[in-house]
Structure formats: C-alpha cells, structure tokens
Amino acid sequence: MPELPEVETVVRDLRPLLLGRSFVKIAVSRKSLRRKWSRAWEATLLDRCVHAIRRRGKWIVIELGIPCLVAHLGMTGQLTVASADQPREAHTHVVFTLDDQTELRFRDVRRFGSVTVFPTMVHADRYFLQISLGPEPFDLTDGRWFGSLNATRRNLKAILLDQTIVAGVGNIYADESLFEARLHPTTLGNAVTRKQAKSLRLAMVAVLTRAIEKRGSSIRDYIGGSGLKGEMQNEFRVYGRTGEPCRRCRTTIVRIVLAGRSTHYCPRCQVLGTIVEPQRLRRARASRSPKATG
DNA sequence: ACAGGATCCTGGGGGC
DNA sequence: TGCCCCCAGGATCCTG
C-alpha cells in the first residue's frame, strides 16, 4: 500500500530516469482510472522537458515546464520506467514514451489510483489547497500538531489517517507510529498531553524516515520507480502481526477495526493517553504490581 | 462534528 | 478442481 515512504521511493527512483527527458507519445487504455483521462491533456504534455519531480503527501508531481502531471498510486498503483521493448504487464493503463526509447508506465490493478494533468503548477497547488491537504509530517511543529490533536474527539488512528491533518500517513505507518509512541490507537485526540503529542510526532518522523531508508514496504503490489521492492515489511512491530508476540514484551498483538481499517497494537505497550488523576494512577499501579500469592 | 458504512476495484486465500 | 465469500484499504460520498 503506497504511503509516504513508498511514494518518496518512487519519486527518488524516477528522478534520474526522467529529469531532462520529454514525452514523445502517450497511450491510454480504455479502462478508466479514478479520474478520467482527457485526450486534450496529451497535446499539452508532448515535447516538454521534465524539470522536476517531487512528492506532496501521497501525490507524485512531475513538472514539465509549465504543465504538470500529478499521480496518485491509490492502493496498487505502480509508476515505473522500463525499456520500450520490455513487455507491458497486465493492468498497465497509461504509457508515456520518452525521447530515449524508455517508457514511463502507470500500472494499477485495482484502479484506485489516478493520473491527472494540471495546466500549471499553480493549478496543482490550488488543487492541494482545495482538498485541504495537510502539512508534511517532517514539517509539523509541536504547536500545530498538539493543536490539531487537541481540537478533536476523534481517535488517534483516525487522526493519523486524515490527510487534511497530516499528509502521507496510511494504515501501516499509522499503526507503526502509534506503537513507537506507545499510544493506544483508540486514544482520543483531546486526551493527549503535549508530551504524548510530541512523542507521537517524533515516532511518526522516525518510522517514516526508517521506512524511506528501507525503500518502503512491499507487501503485495508495491515496487519502486525502478521496479525494486522495499524492505520495511521485515521490520513491522505491529502491522499484520495479529496473534504474534510483541517484539518488546511478548504480549500477543491484537487486531481491531478503527476508522473502518484494520488496526494492530500491543495491548500492554500501548496505553490510553487519557489524563488520569494521581489517585487513580496509584490504584492502577498497585493492581498491576505482582501479588504475594498466586 | 463525527462515526460508521458503502463504494470503487481485483486478486489472493480460506473453507467446503 | 471449482465455487463462494471475505479481505486488503486510499479517497470520497452518504447517512445517522
């Protein structure tokens, strides 16, 4: 499932393969993607030089001088560069032939992804503004982050998945970040202390940074821009580990459904971030301590 | 405001 | 072996 680290890996892979190249031909399959492809876009893209490739949240932005190509990988999207003589795999929906006999290919089995063209970068940025795309996790300040959490009674899992609050986090890294911060996924945003908010922000940054280093997670469909798989799936602490022992305390990892998504956590390591009065805290500690008999 | 569910979509896996 | 059903989950829409 392409989230921020996977999209970042694709962008980094594509950069050397696309920069300075131009599109000489575009072929689009009949099957529709999430957003309908317009034939009128093709003329605006042809014979233009790729100036820059960047990521915004889970979006890939390819700047071609004035117009820009904006792609979202959805669940199973792949954006790769391959030699033109390499056979095209099934579910390849858009093929951009480059001026060096290679092809930029958009493949998406489940077609939740999209490829769109904006006339200028201003239009693309306006679109991100229109969908209220939140800040990058690496740009979040503690003040803004705590403010966002504090302003809602939604649970932390739902907050992390909300692209208007923080852009780029999906189901995998939401669960992994919550484990790293030792916060229970059902914790309500406004029950989180400043300290907990900060630890969640730092956990998110650490998990995403590590995942980028490992070229993302390849569970089923995800591959980078050069076709290489990621390695982060080998380091999951909770995601997809239902019934397995926690790597920290050996307690069985639990799966629940939150915000309509599978949510994995360690019931022992991850605590509810509620503000607990000192008296209740002492009682809770006493009940946890080992008993003299039994 | 927010939770929960349905929708889109296909392939893989489990059960029988 | 084949068939049915469920599951995966990003974005978006709808309902309660």
Side-chain angles (χ1 to χ4, degrees):
Chain A
M1 328 298 158
E3 303 179 29
L4 187 151
E6 291 75 27
V7 176
E8 179 65 28
T9 303
V10 170
V11 164
R12 290 182 186 186
D13 284 353
L14 290 180
R15 209 167 269 143
L17 301 170
L18 289 185
L19 279 183
R21 299 262 73 91
S22 58
F23 299 156
V24 296
K25 193 180 149 196
I26 300 167
V28 182
S29 77
R30 268 187 299 274
K31 282 196 172 179
S32 68
L33 291 167
R34 192 167 190 90
R35 269 159 238 274
K36 204 171 153 35
W37 178 267
S38 163
R39 297 302 304 267
W41 292 339
E42 292 167 27
T44 71
L45 295 178
L46 290 177
D47 302 319
R48 284 195 182 274
C49 203
V50 176
H51 280 211
I53 305 164
R54 59 190 179 90
R55 178 191 59 75
R56 178 75 177 89
K58 297 174 193 170
W59 298 87
I60 296 165
V61 181
I62 300 174
E63 297 180 34
L64 290 131
I66 301 168
C68 62
L69 193 60
V70 175
H72 196 294
L73 301 180
M75 293 280 303
T76 53
Q78 299 172 345
L79 200 56
T80 57
V81 172
S83 166
D85 52 25
Q86 236 174 296
R88 291 176 192 170
E89 286 187 85
H91 310 289
T92 299
H93 302 297
V94 192
V95 177
F96 303 89
T97 306
L98 301 165
D99 57 356
D100 66 347
Q101 297 310 302
T102 62
E103 291 176 349
L104 173 66
R105 298 174 178 178
F106 185 83
R107 175 173 185 259
D108 188 358
V109 172
R110 275 149 76 178
R111 290 190 276 135
F112 280 14
S114 64
V115 184
T116 321
V117 176
F118 289 97
T120 70
M121 262 319 296
V122 173
H123 289 80
D125 286 331
R126 199 179 292 159
Y127 173 71
F128 293 142
L129 212 62
Q130 181 206 319
I131 61 170
S132 309
L133 192 60
E136 293 291 318
F138 308 107
D139 299 340
L140 267 180
T141 61
D142 282 316
R144 175 165 186 169
W145 180 234
F146 179 70
S148 298
L149 298 187
N150 206 237
T152 178
R153 283 185 50 79
R154 298 164 75 194
N155 62 58
L156 291 182
K157 177 63 181 267
I159 294 170
L160 286 171
L161 292 179
D162 187 340
Q163 301 300 298
T164 71
I165 294 174
V166 59
V169 178
N171 207 37
I172 294 172
Y173 300 111
D175 283 6
E176 293 296 314
S177 298
L178 286 166
F179 176 82
E180 190 68 26
R182 298 199 193 174
L183 281 165
H184 199 285
T186 62
T187 303
L188 302 184
N190 67 352
V192 166
T193 63
R194 273 186 195 276
K195 199 178 161 191
Q196 287 171 327
K198 180 168 184 164
S199 90
L200 180 54
R201 183 184 67 78
L202 293 175
M204 199 160 49
V205 167
V207 165
L208 294 171
T209 302
R210 178 71 180 148
I212 291 171
E213 282 169 16
K214 302 301 277 183
R215 296 182 47 83
S217 312
S218 288
I219 297 177
R220 198 168 297 163
D221 303 275
Y222 166 73
I223 52 169
S226 52
L228 266 169
K229 291 189 172 194
E231 298 291 336
M232 188 63 183
Q233 65 280 7
N234 304 321
E235 295 190 16
F236 289 161
R237 294 290 180 264
V238 286
Y239 181 82
R241 298 194 63 243
T242 313
E244 291 177 40
C246 170
R247 294 196 204 278
R248 222 190 115 249
C249 74
R250 315 309 292 168
T251 301
T252 304
I253 301 298
V254 168
R255 174 190 177 271
I256 57 170
V257 173
L258 275 181
R261 296 290 169 254
S262 279
T263 301
H264 315 76
Y265 69 98
C266 170
R268 182 160 173 179
C269 293
Q270 293 174 255
V271 298
L272 277 166
T274 42
I275 302 150
V276 182
E277 314 91 281
Q279 203 186 344
R280 267 184 57 201
L281 196 66
R282 274 199 297 276
R283 220 181 299 148
R285 272 207 199 105
S287 69
R288 268 204 304 273
S289 63
K291 292 185 178 109
T293 55

